[in-house]
Amino acid sequence: MNGETSYLTHLAEVLWPCGGLMGRGGQRPVLGAAQLAPQYGGEVREYLPVPSAHKPRVILPVTHRYAAARGIVAFGQRHSFAERLRTSLLSTAFASGVAPLLLRDRLRVAAGRTIEHALSAALDREVIIAIHVGPPRANRKPVLLLLTPGGRVVGYAKVGVNALTSRLVRSETAALNRLVSARLPDITVPRLLHSGEWNGHPLLVQEALPVGEQTERPTRRQLLRCVTQIFALGRGREVRLSRSEYRRHLLRRVDALGARPEAPALRATLERLPDVGMPFGAWHGDLTRWNIASTPRRAFVWDWERLAFDVPAGFDALHYELNESVQIGVHQGVHRWLDSGAWLLRDPLLRATGLRPEAVSTVMALYLIDLATRYLHDRQAEAGSNLAAIDDWLLPALASLEERAAHEAGDAH
């Protein structure tokens, strides 16, 4: 049993405490997370781990082919031609009923009270689930697509499966409650439909946003308009870095890293950054191509689990740009980001927040320290994230930004 199969069996124990077992199509189970009812008494449902139990990315119902096909489309990454082609082929295979004949691994769930029962009761309608598992990450948690038997999307649910993901689910629940009354003129946020617990784990259900073939990745202007509107949820006032609560909080987070070898370099850089003034407000915390879609008039933004306040202006723009840049490779992408990130922060839309040219490199350095601290606390490197290897790329980039920040502050004086 490899790590991914172990994760899958643990996930089965969380979602289906009545019992779930791994096996092959047409065979008795060979790997177990719990014991099913004796001799498969009662109804036993089957799910397909796709592409396999050893590399699960989505888990789809075998007997509801239209719901399974809809799950493939909803969870498919379609940012490139190859991704769109793969999604199209898989969805066709499920809609036609061919996929269960080609995919051998099965997850069998016994009769009894399951997550589907709890979600159906919460929403007062029958729901079928398709599950996005995603690649190994420290913050990996199941995202459940909720569908009617006919394949119509009802909403999405998230379940915390460990200490980190449980904290994030609770944080997103609080964020969605807070955003109900927020003024975001050009942004649509999913409504919270239900929150509670399942099997001792935090659970939230939110509406599905109208994202699909009619939406695209945001243009630069749309992105920055989103960034500034989210930023405006905070106070948006200018404070010198040395007097900011943000700096004090970031220092505490760095100190909490304890004996981590990266901590001294992060703290030393933070203490040496120039004491420039900058505006502080809110940021989404994980604004990437996977959490935003746009039409010409509106942006749809989801995954608000890292919403935070009292942070420097421009963090969301830098985060989006960094994740875009590294699509070509971490080192080459970060080198490009050092220029493109600064260019974004000097855009008139961000200048309107009060961000001054002499603070640009200081804000970029603060963002990298913040990101490194997050990755280290969440142990992302241990989960295999390339960006989380901060001594390989982030610390060198931080040294470059520290030098640039000193020059910018000196030129301003």
Side-chain angles (χ1 to χ4, degrees):
M1 184 182 300
N2 72 352
E4 289 294 83
T5 308
S6 297
Y7 178 83
L8 195 56
T9 53
H10 169 65
L11 186 60
E13 291 172 345
V14 172
L15 300 180
W16 302 291
C18 53
L21 287 169
M22 286 302 307
R24 295 293 179 120
Q27 301 176 4
R28 291 293 185 182
V30 294
L31 297 174
Q35 290 302 313
L36 294 179
Q39 286 76 48
Y40 290 95
E43 176 193 10
V44 175
R45 283 159 298 160
E46 289 193 336
Y47 294 85
L48 286 168
V50 180
S52 71
H54 295 283
K55 193 180 179 181
R57 294 298 175 262
V58 293
I59 304 171
L60 303 169
V62 172
T63 56
H64 296 277
R65 62 183 185 178
Y66 295 117
R70 187 68 186 88
I72 285 290
V73 173
F75 292 135
Q77 298 297 337
R78 288 163 289 169
H79 299 295
S80 69
F81 174 76
E83 290 167 340
R84 290 194 297 271
L85 179 61
R86 188 183 306 115
T87 297
S88 177
L89 291 174
L90 276 172
S91 62
T92 300
F94 274 97
S96 65
V98 171
L101 303 177
L102 303 176
L103 301 172
R104 300 178 63 194
D105 292 337
R106 296 290 189 275
L107 175 61
R108 295 183 174 92
V109 177
R113 183 163 174 77
T114 66
I115 186 72
E116 291 95 331
H117 292 109
L119 292 169
S120 296
L123 299 178
D124 196 26
R125 65 176 72 186
E126 181 184 0
V127 296
I128 296 160
I129 64 172
I131 307 168
H132 182 257
V133 178
R137 293 185 301 168
N139 58 332
R140 177 166 66 166
K141 58 186 170 300
V143 177
L144 283 58
L145 176 66
L146 312 183
L147 304 133
T148 66
R152 186 171 66 84
V153 176
V154 176
Y156 287 89
K158 295 183 181 181
V159 183
V161 294
N162 55 31
L164 172 60
T165 56
S166 293
R167 174 171 61 81
L168 292 174
V169 169
R170 293 188 183 100
S171 294
E172 184 162 16
T173 300
L176 292 179
N177 276 319
R178 182 167 188 166
L179 290 169
V180 168
S181 57
R183 185 177 180 274
L184 294 166
D186 302 311
I187 301 173
T188 297
V189 177
R191 290 183 302 116
L192 183 66
L193 301 179
H194 172 76
S195 64
E197 284 197 351
W198 165 252
N199 194 20
H201 299 264
L203 167 71
L204 75 82
V205 183
Q206 57 191 268
E207 71 173 341
L209 294 177
V211 174
E213 297 298 330
Q214 303 305 312
T215 57
E216 300 287 345
R217 273 185 280 172
T219 64
R220 180 170 177 266
R221 182 169 182 81
Q222 288 171 328
L223 171 69
L224 293 182
R225 196 164 61 224
C226 284
V227 169
T228 55
Q229 289 184 16
I230 294 169
F231 178 78
L233 295 174
R235 293 175 294 174
R237 65 186 183 90
E238 181 178 309
V239 182
R240 281 200 169 274
L241 180 59
S242 64
R243 299 175 186 173
S244 67
E245 178 57 35
Y246 171 79
R247 183 180 184 275
R248 289 189 286 273
H249 179 61
L250 184 54
L251 276 171
R252 288 194 295 269
R253 288 171 58 206
V254 172
D255 288 342
L257 293 172
R260 291 293 305 235
E262 304 90 346
L266 296 175
R267 184 181 181 97
T269 302
L270 180 54
E271 291 177 336
R272 289 193 299 260
L273 287 176
D275 188 23
V276 292
M278 61 188 69
F280 290 82
W283 78 311
H284 174 279
D286 194 22
L287 198 63
T288 67
R289 65 163 72 178
W290 300 279
N291 297 333
I292 182 173
S294 293
T295 65
R297 295 191 175 186
R298 293 206 66 74
F300 303 94
V301 181
W302 58 97
D303 281 1
W304 292 85
E305 61 195 22
R306 295 189 184 272
L307 175 67
F309 296 84
D310 201 25
V311 301
F315 268 24
D316 272 328
L318 292 173
H319 191 72
Y320 188 95
E321 181 65 15
L322 177 62
N323 279 274
E324 287 297 296
S325 297
V326 299
Q327 298 303 310
I328 61 174
V330 172
H331 290 92
Q332 184 181 354
V334 169
H335 182 75
R336 187 177 79 175
W337 175 83
L338 289 171
D339 292 327
S340 61
W343 185 51
L344 277 177
L345 293 190
R346 291 188 173 95
D347 187 278
L349 280 170
L350 278 177
R351 289 285 299 274
T353 66
L355 182 60
R356 301 179 184 182
E358 62 265 28
V360 165
S361 292
T362 301
V363 168
M364 293 178 72
L366 290 170
Y367 163 73
L368 286 187
I369 296 170
D370 197 302
L371 186 67
T373 306
R374 176 197 295 184
Y375 282 160
L376 292 170
H377 277 296
D378 292 352
R379 300 184 179 277
Q380 291 283 10
E382 297 171 18
S385 170
N386 290 333
L387 270 182
I390 69 167
D391 57 339
D392 183 48
W393 67 270
L394 190 147
L395 294 182
L398 196 54
S400 174
L401 285 171
E402 181 185 345
E403 184 177 346
R404 267 179 23 184
H407 283 300
E408 287 174 358
D411 291 344
H413 286 304

